[in-house]
Each structure stands twice: as structure tokens, then as C-alpha cells.
């Protein structure tokens, strides 16, 4: 399942064994949200759902990988899949768009009467400056960037690169 919520015990194991503990999508009580969709069919493998934000471990890793690929491997361009997490769905239905353990300073989920039910971290919106930095890192070196998902903010769109919206698995 895409967007599987792990137990507190499993989350503790992950947090102790990954450098990306500051980059993982989480529930309000801190449990990790992961991707088990692409596993081997035995439900014993998963991918962490992570996001780049404010120079966190994942943003640093992506930047390091881009530097290596451009400088050492000599590539002409970079492709990034699922670059803007969950932005094709509303915040409350995307399994990879919202982290519920923190607040981005703006995003909320409302009650039917319009009062605030919960303050949340909208990864699509809040991580846009980090994605723009990654884009500029590639383009400033004269390389090509292609990424799956549309830009979320004007700043991200103006950073450049080629973006597309994958729809093969969506019932549109």
C-alpha cells in the first residue's frame, strides 16, 4: 500500500537506522508513513516517503548526488521522479503530501464549520524552496533537469527545468 502507516516500534527502528529521520512523512503521533506499493509482494520491503525541506538530510543527499553525477560521472542532465510529493491530490487525500507531526506556518485542515481542526505540514508547498534550490543547482551548471510533477509555486516554476505530469496510474 502506498501511504502505509508503520507502528511506533517500527518507526523507532527506522529512526535509529536512517540518516533521513528529519525528512520522513509522519502521522500526528510521529509514526512513519511509507510506500509499500513497489515491494516484492511479500510485504517485507518498503520505501521511505521523504521530502526535501530547509536543508534537511534528504535535501543534502539529493544535492550531494547531483554534484557527484555532474562533476564525477559527467552526466548531461538529471531526472527526478515524484519531485513534488502528492501535489496531484488534495492535502487530505494524498498519502505523500502531508506530514501531520509539524506545522508549516500556513496549512490547516478545517472542520465542517470552518474552524481549524489541525495544523499540518503541506510538503508540496513548504518544500518548494528546496526544490527550487535543487533545480538551480543543476541548471546553474549548464545541465538539464527533467522532473515528474508540476511546479507548486511561482518561485519553483521560475527556477526552470522541464516538468511533466505522469498520469498513467491515475483515474482522471
Amino acid at each position: 500500500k502506498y501511504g502505509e502507516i508503520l507502528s511506533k516500534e517500527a518507526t523507532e527502528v527506522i529512526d535509529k537506522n536512517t540518516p533521513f529521520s528529519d525528512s520522513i512523512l509522519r502521522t500526528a503521533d510521529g509514526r512513519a508513513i511509507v510506500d509499500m506499493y513497489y515491494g516484492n509482494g511479500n510485504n517485507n520491503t518498503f520505501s521511505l516517503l521523504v521530502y526535501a525541506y530547509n536543508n534537511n538530510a534528504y535535501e543534502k543527499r539529493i544535492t550531494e548526488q547531483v554534484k557527484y553525477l555532474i562533476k564525477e560521472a559527467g552526466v548531461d542532465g538529471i531526472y527526478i521522479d515524484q519531485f513534488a510529493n502528492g501535489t496531484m491530490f488534495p492535502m487530505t487525500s494524498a498519502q505523500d503530501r502531508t506530514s501531520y507531526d509539524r506545522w508549516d506556518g500556513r496549512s490547516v485542515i478545517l472542520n465542517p464549520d470552518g474552524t481549524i481542526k489541525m495544523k499540518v505540514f503541506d510538503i508540496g508547498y513548504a518544500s518548494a524552496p528546496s526544490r527550487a534550490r535543487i533545480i538551480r543547482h543543476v541548471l546553474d551548471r549548464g545541465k538539464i533537469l527533467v522532473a515528474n510533477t508540476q511546479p507548486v509555486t511561482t518561485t519553483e516554476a521560475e527556477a526552470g527545468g522541464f516538468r511533466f505530469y505522469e498520469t498513467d496510474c491515475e483515474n482522471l
Side-chain angles (χ1 to χ4, degrees):
K1 176 184 170 190
Y2 196 79
E4 184 73 26
I5 298 171
L6 298 183
S7 68
K8 288 183 181 184
E9 296 79 14
T11 299
E12 288 174 10
V13 171
I14 290 169
D15 285 340
K16 290 178 184 174
N17 292 287
T18 182
F20 302 117
S21 61
D22 69 341
S23 311
I24 298 172
L25 275 73
R26 297 184 185 269
T27 61
D29 64 358
R31 291 177 290 155
I33 304 171
V34 300
D35 173 8
M36 297 181 82
Y37 183 79
Y38 296 103
N40 61 13
N42 296 324
N43 287 329
N44 61 0
T45 60
F46 60 86
S47 299
L48 295 176
L49 290 175
V50 293
Y51 57 93
Y53 175 71
N54 203 20
N55 213 18
N56 66 2
Y58 185 66
E59 182 177 351
K60 289 177 185 174
R61 176 65 61 89
I62 290 290
T63 303
E64 290 168 8
Q65 290 175 334
V66 166
K67 286 179 183 178
Y68 170 80
L69 289 168
I70 291 172
K71 187 174 180 180
E72 303 298 325
V75 300
D76 292 326
I78 303 290
Y79 169 73
I80 303 175
D81 196 22
Q82 295 182 328
F83 196 35
N85 300 56
T87 54
M88 61 189 108
F89 301 106
M91 268 188 353
T92 55
S93 65
Q95 299 92 341
D96 64 344
R97 179 169 174 175
T98 307
S99 196
Y100 297 89
D101 62 324
R102 57 193 300 184
W103 188 37
D104 62 24
R106 290 188 169 98
S107 303
V108 296
I109 296 173
L110 298 175
N111 289 308
D113 66 0
T115 60
I116 295 173
K117 178 179 181 179
M118 178 186 295
K119 296 177 180 180
V120 297
F121 188 83
D122 179 356
I123 292 161
Y125 169 77
S127 64
S130 292
R131 289 191 303 275
R133 281 192 295 275
I134 294 165
I135 292 166
R136 284 192 302 271
H137 189 81
V138 174
L139 299 181
D140 288 351
R141 284 153 182 80
K143 305 302 179 183
I144 298 167
L145 181 122
V146 177
N148 182 2
T149 63
Q150 71 278 9
V152 177
T153 66
T154 303
T155 301
E156 184 182 356
E158 290 173 349
F162 297 100
R163 304 291 287 271
F164 68 93
Y165 183 79
E166 180 180 8
T167 60
D168 69 330
C169 60
E170 307 306 324
N171 188 14
L172 299 175

